[in-house]
């Protein structure tokens, strides 16, 4: 089966049809997907897998995927894949950057607005039948316009968030390890600051860093205590960037005012204390979940997989250093 592909979870039918037009496809058409043991078994004899972020492609799993040439990941964050392990075994890995920036940035704003203006709480209040009269302080919240927005991780999505902030007349501060060029800072009307200043100054702090060893738990008790008591924290990046227990304490003891969270440390489990916080808006990892964008990311992953199988360099390689040796192995095998 030289062109066999494993699709590890349910996806859009047109993407599966597209793959089937070019390759033999073993399709796991469920939302549950596969356990590690099942992944290993089903990857046997496949040249590529089209994976999603709930697939745990650890070093141990990858070590047992003999003959696999490519992991085409659906999505931009690939913290579920041990990239050094894949690289060491000469496996190409691709992701789908760029196409989901606007959709995810829209959602970061949805969470900022929902948390600041208590949209979920107000909706639950109306549905519960508790609304008896209008009052001057009923569901009173915080303004977003003309406030300071801090962006931790000013990459593709962070920059899309900054562009939206202009429409709300916000002052934008950001922190990255590498400062943007003056031209881009100027276009975005954004100012680089150190992380401590970002935490201290932000009325809204929106997280857009990838999950890696440098960012895991980079927002913990000390960071939360350094924020304003009126601040709102929004996370559409990855849950483990924030220490969830510390955040639950920060919200219940009002070290900060509120949070909008799309991602969690142990999805789909949520820290029980967080579930008690009425000042947190919680959503089930749907930052990129618009019909159009989710369709696009599955098609791009499919295109990456098929490119490799056809001996063409996949456009979105995460480990491009593998490509030269991969291509020569492919040519020699013909
Ligand atoms: P990106 O373009 O790579 O941007 C990430 C930014 O974070 C870069 O500017 C990087 O700059 C910065 N960064 C990395 N490590 C840092 C650190 N230790 N301290 C400060 N800044 C750091 O990534 P993206 O496409 O914007 O995506 C960001 C993340 O969003 C993804 O990795 C994914 O996990 C998440 N995401 C979630 C959803 C969802 O559904 N909720 C949807 C899409 C994406 P430097 O390297 O210069 O520091």
């Amino acid at each position: 089966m030289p062109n066999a592909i494993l699709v590890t979870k349910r996806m859009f039918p047109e993407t599966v049809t597209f793959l089937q037009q070019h390759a033999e496809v073993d399709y796991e058409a469920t939302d549950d997907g596969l356990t590690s043991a099942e992944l290993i078994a089903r990857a046997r004899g496949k040249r590529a897998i089209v994976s999603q972020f709930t697939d745990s492609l650890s070093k141990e799993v990858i070590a047992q995927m003999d003959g696999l040439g490519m992991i085409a990941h659906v999505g931009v964050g690939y913290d579920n894949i041990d990239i050094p392990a894949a690289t060491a075994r000469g496996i190409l890995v691709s992701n789908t950057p760029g196409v989901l920036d606007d959709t995810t940035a829209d959602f970061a704003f949805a969470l900022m607005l929902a948390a600041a203006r208590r949209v979920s709480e107000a909706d639950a209040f109306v549905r519960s039948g508790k609304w008896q009269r209008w009052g001057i302080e009923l569901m009173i919240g915080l303004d977003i316009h003309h406030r300071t927005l801090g962006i931790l991780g000013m990459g593709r999505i962070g920059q899309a968030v900054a562009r939206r902030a202009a429409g709300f007349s916000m002052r934008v501060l950001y922190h990255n390890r590498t400062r943007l060029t003056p031209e881009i800072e100027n276009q975005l009307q954004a100012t680089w600051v150190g992380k401590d200043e970002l935490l201290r100054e932000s009325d809204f702090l929106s997280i857009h860093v990838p999950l890696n060893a440098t960012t895991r738990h980079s927002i913990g008790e000390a960071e939360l205590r350094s924020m304003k008591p009126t601040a709102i924290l929004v996370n559409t990046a990855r849950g483990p960037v924030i220490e969830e227990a510390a955040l639950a304490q920060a919200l219940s003891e009002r070290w900060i005012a509120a949070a909008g969270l799309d991602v969690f440390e142990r999805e789909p489990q949520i820290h029980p204390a967080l579930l008690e916080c009425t000042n947190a808006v919680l959503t089930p990892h749907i930052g990129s979940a618009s019909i159009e964008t989710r369709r696009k990311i599955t098609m791009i992953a499919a295109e990456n997989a098929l490119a490799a199988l056809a001996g063409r360099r996949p456009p979105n390689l995460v480990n491009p250093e593998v490509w030269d040796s991969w291509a020569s192995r492919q040519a020699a095998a013909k």
Side-chain angles (χ1 to χ4, degrees), residues 53 75-79 95-98 100-101 103-104 107 151-159 174-180 195 207-216 218 235-238 262-263 267 285-289 294:
F53 92 96
V76 67
Y78 47 81
D79 44 279
N95 67 345
T96 64
L100 40 62
D101 300 350
T103 300
T104 310
F107 199 70
I151 297 177
L152 183 62
M154 188 68 122
R156 290 170 293 248
I157 299 171
Q159 291 182 34
Y174 79 95
H175 180 71
N176 260 6
R177 291 166 304 179
T178 325
R179 204 173 154 166
L180 302 175
K195 188 181 164 196
I207 311 286
H208 300 288
V209 289
L211 176 62
N212 58 38
T214 68
T215 60
R216 184 177 294 274
S218 57
N235 189 7
T236 56
R238 283 289 185 266
D262 185 45
V263 285
E267 295 172 13
H285 202 141
I286 54 171
S288 69
R294 284 279 168 91

Side-chain angles (χ1 to χ4, degrees), residues 315-328:
N316 307 110
L317 285 181
V318 167
N319 56 354
E321 65 274 26
V322 175
W323 174 248
D324 284 343
S325 58
W326 199 99
S328 27

